[in-house]
Amino acid sequence: MSIPAKIRRLGEPGLDLNTLVSLSKRRGFVFQSSEIYGGLASCWDYGPLGAAMKMNVKRAWWNAMTRRSDIVGLDAAILMHPQVWKASGHIDGFSDPLVDCKDCKTRFRSDNTESYLKNKKCPHCGSQNLSEPRNFNLMFKTHMGPVEDSGSVIYLRPETAQGHFVNFINCQQSSRNKIPFGIAAIGKSFRNEITPGNFIFRTREFEQMEMQYFVEPGTDEKFYHQWKETRWDFYLKYGLNPENLRFADHPPDKLAHYAKAATDVEYKFPMGFSELEGVHNRSDFDLTQHMKFSGKSLEYFDEPQKKKYIPFVIETAVGCDRLFLAFMCDAYREEVTSDDKGEDVRIVMGLHPELAPYKVCVLPLSKKEELSGPANKLRDQLAEEFDVTYDEAQSIGKRYRRQDEIGTPFCVTVDFETLNDQAVTVRHRDKMTQERIGMTELNDYIRKSLKNF
Ligand code: ATP
């Protein structure tokens, strides 16, 4: 085992988001959508490894939420009654101010474009021949049913949260939970973003993981701070480097119309610190609005206190795709060793084992039936419990490197000695140490090692 002289990470010279984009394509994490037709801007498909890893990201979040006794799950429809978006404020307020350049036809946001804010210039061609800012609603519109008139307009949801609010009473009564309790959901959301980009950081179709925690008014500040801490701990548990994380509290004059307090958990992506998750104290705004627009009571009766109230809501909202990207960025490392023959670079995706697409790879030392037979049997034995892959092409060294690059924590090699001692060599991704383990104990060994990783 050699000790790497140097470790390089994303964000250092020559290593940026493009490094990940090309690894993602080469290894099957993420592909551009509709690639054979030239691609569709800002839409991405998760390939074999990406789909597996995304599922693991969702499972980690889902378990962190719904294995608590005070949180239940929900899977609400993407299409909702149009009045929902009136009540939530999205029809009137979910928009960005847009300016058109009359010369080069570029369309850009007037509220965050530097050249416009400084001296009213187009960021593309520098022209000052610009339109006045116009509000552009970010919701995708479509029609329900065969008639495309104004009465059939319906929206693709721009956030999952409204499903939680309109189902508050359904969830509370069916689960018989008492306040404080939460509703958690994972689902697709759609926003017709004006400036999507940075790979899967900002897209028009994305997946959100949102939790709404309903509390008694007056206890909201305490729970807001608790949730900030809980979410921070989640990121540390799954291996994000705390130096790459920070809170950015919203100043009171920048709060959204519904919010009493809000913070962004920011992650240091290669392009700089940017929002990963929002934690918001939404007050009783949403339930009050839905009561007003639906005419139905969404009040909660507090039995021990014998009083009714409209709960306050603490929300935690993170994008699954954005979190996937943060985990990839944080995990990527290049271990550089050099000797008189030159430089050797080992690319390692140092993912937390729960997030890695595969936990184990089985590698027969030779393709011959005498080894591939038992190796395949071992694969099946491991697959009863773990996500496992199998690789018999090329030298063992190259195969180890392939697994390092996709974050597989353990490689198991079946060699000719295995035929005599019924044991295999287990190699660890990070330290590259090797151990000889009996095949009958292998599942136990992997299970324990994953737990203590
Ligand atoms: P941003 O300021 O980045 O546009 P936001 O403040 O509008 O985000 P929220 O409405 O609070 O975001 O949504 C919660 C989370 O959903 C965000 O923290 C982010 O992780 C994710 N998210 C929002 N918009 C997108 C998008 N277009 N693409 C991918 N993820 C997104």
Side-chain angles (χ1 to χ4, degrees):
M1 188 183 107
S2 55
I3 314 267
K6 215 167 56 186
I7 295 204
R8 292 199 296 239
R9 295 191 178 273
L10 292 191
E12 293 179 25
L15 294 182
D16 54 21
L17 220 42
N18 287 328
T19 315
L20 264 194
V21 176
S22 60
L23 182 144
S24 294
K25 175 167 161 68
R26 183 160 39 86
R27 301 311 313 273
F29 281 96
V30 181
F31 308 127
Q32 180 156 41
S33 160
S34 320
E35 193 184 277
I36 61 168
Y37 287 96
L40 180 65
S42 98
C43 292
W44 301 91
D45 297 340
Y46 289 78
L49 297 188
M53 178 167 155
K54 199 175 185 200
M55 199 76 92
N56 295 340
V57 172
K58 288 193 245 182
R59 192 175 299 119
W61 183 90
W62 183 257
N63 288 348
M65 291 294 175
T66 64
R67 285 191 179 171
R68 293 169 52 123
S69 58
D70 56 351
I71 296 185
V72 294
L74 176 73
D75 183 353
I78 288 172
L79 304 177
M80 300 182 79
H81 194 290
Q83 281 293 94
V84 167
W85 307 114
K86 195 85 196 135
S88 69
H90 282 84
I91 287 181
D92 298 324
F94 192 56
S95 52
D96 283 336
L98 273 195
V99 170
D100 285 306
C101 172
K102 292 179 188 160
D103 290 333
C104 74
K105 311 290 177 222
T106 298
R107 180 172 274 192
F108 59 92
R109 271 172 70 171
S110 60
D111 60 336
N112 67 359
T113 304
E114 224 180 295
S115 63
Y116 184 82
L117 291 170
K118 271 197 188 143
N119 44 23
K120 300 271 179 290
K121 280 190 174 169
C122 167
H124 187 65
C125 71
S127 162
Q128 290 190 311
N129 188 12
L130 307 171
S131 73
E132 286 301 309
R134 282 176 299 124
N135 276 338
F136 172 75
N137 196 294
L138 299 183
M139 281 199 293
F140 276 97
K141 244 188 220 174
T142 185
H143 294 270
M144 187 112 143
V147 185
E148 291 195 8
D149 62 14
S150 59
S152 67
V153 168
I154 197 145
Y155 301 91
L156 302 188
R157 69 179 174 201
E159 62 176 30
T160 55
Q162 298 306 320
H164 304 206
F165 300 130
V166 300
N167 281 296
F168 163 62
I169 293 291
N170 283 340
C171 289
Q172 191 271 320
Q173 290 183 348
S174 59
S175 66
R176 301 172 61 231
N177 262 311
K178 307 266 180 293
I179 274 180
F181 86 99
I183 303 177
I186 301 177
K188 290 265 181 161
S189 293
F190 301 82
R191 295 181 187 179
N192 204 356
E193 300 276 7
I194 294 141
T195 45
N198 286 323
F199 193 29
I200 50 175
F201 177 82
R202 187 184 304 285
T203 50
R204 296 194 170 106
E205 171 182 346
F206 56 98
E207 219 156 353
Q208 285 189 308
M209 306 192 288
E210 294 200 86
M211 192 283 305
Q212 264 63 39
Y213 201 70
F214 298 87
V215 306
E216 183 182 350
T219 63
D220 47 303
E221 280 176 35
K222 174 182 86 183
F223 286 112
Y224 171 70
H225 290 290
Q226 261 182 26
W227 275 108
K228 274 178 75 171
E229 259 176 55
T230 305
R231 295 305 300 147
W232 185 268
D233 293 345
F234 173 85
Y235 293 122
L236 298 197
K237 175 180 172 191
Y238 285 99
L240 289 188
N241 179 353
E243 283 172 18
N244 293 335
L245 282 170
R246 70 179 187 197
F247 283 118
D249 292 340
H250 295 202
D253 59 323
K254 291 266 157 44
L255 288 174
H257 59 285
Y258 54 75
K260 193 174 151 192
T263 193
D264 294 340
V265 183
E266 292 189 338
Y267 177 76
K268 192 176 178 190
F269 290 96
M271 63 279 185
F273 270 105
S274 312
E275 175 177 339
L276 176 63
E277 167 157 15
V279 181
H280 308 128
N281 179 346
R282 297 183 70 119
S283 70
D284 59 1
F285 173 81
D286 308 274
L287 293 180
T288 305
Q289 284 294 99
H290 286 302
M291 279 176 56
K292 221 190 272 171
F293 279 75
S294 69
K296 300 276 169 5
S297 171
L298 299 174
E299 282 180 310
Y300 172 78
F301 182 67
D302 190 317
E303 185 68 53
Q305 299 193 66
K306 300 269 179 273
K307 67 171 187 186
K308 262 188 184 176
Y309 56 79
I310 302 172
F312 269 40
V313 172
I314 309 302
E315 161 181 271
T316 72
V318 56
C320 178
D321 313 78
R322 221 176 256 191
L323 181 53
F324 181 105
L325 183 62
F327 281 135
M328 293 277 272
C329 290
D330 221 65
Y332 184 92
R333 67 173 188 264
E334 295 186 357
E335 297 180 356
V336 188
T337 32
S338 30
D339 56 21
D340 34 343
K341 284 187 226 119
E343 214 180 53
D344 177 57
V345 179
R346 182 170 89 108
I347 298 175
V348 186
M349 196 58 85
L351 292 166
H352 185 285
E354 274 182 48
L355 305 176
Y358 299 119
K359 314 305 171 210
V360 203
C361 179
V362 177
L363 315 146
L365 198 60
S366 129
K367 273 187 195 165
K368 289 194 182 126
E369 168 59 28
E370 132 185 66
L371 290 192
S372 67
N376 267 302
K377 256 174 94 180
L378 193 62
R379 198 215 77 87
D380 293 345
Q381 172 191 314
L382 289 164
E384 282 179 16
E385 244 184 286
F386 312 106
D387 296 315
V388 48
T389 180
Y390 182 89
D391 189 2
E392 58 178 25
Q394 292 186 312
S395 76
I396 197 79
K398 282 205 175 120
R399 284 186 268 165
Y400 282 154
R401 291 294 173 92
R402 273 209 290 271
Q403 295 306 316
D404 293 340
E405 204 184 32
I406 63 169
T408 309
F410 299 104
C411 284
V412 170
T413 305
V414 177
D415 54 27
F416 290 99
E417 196 48 36
T418 305
L419 305 176
N420 301 323
D421 67 358
Q422 303 300 308
V424 289
T425 300
V426 180
R427 174 200 180 256
H428 294 235
R429 176 192 72 197
D430 290 340
K431 294 198 180 128
M432 292 189 280
T433 48
Q434 304 199 351
E435 281 176 89
R436 198 82 186 156
I437 308 289
M439 285 196 285
T440 50
E441 292 104 60
L442 190 61
N443 283 38
D444 268 355
Y445 175 87
I446 298 284
R447 192 184 320 114
K448 283 188 193 131
S449 307
L450 284 171
K451 216 165 174 196
N452 305 320
F453 200 82

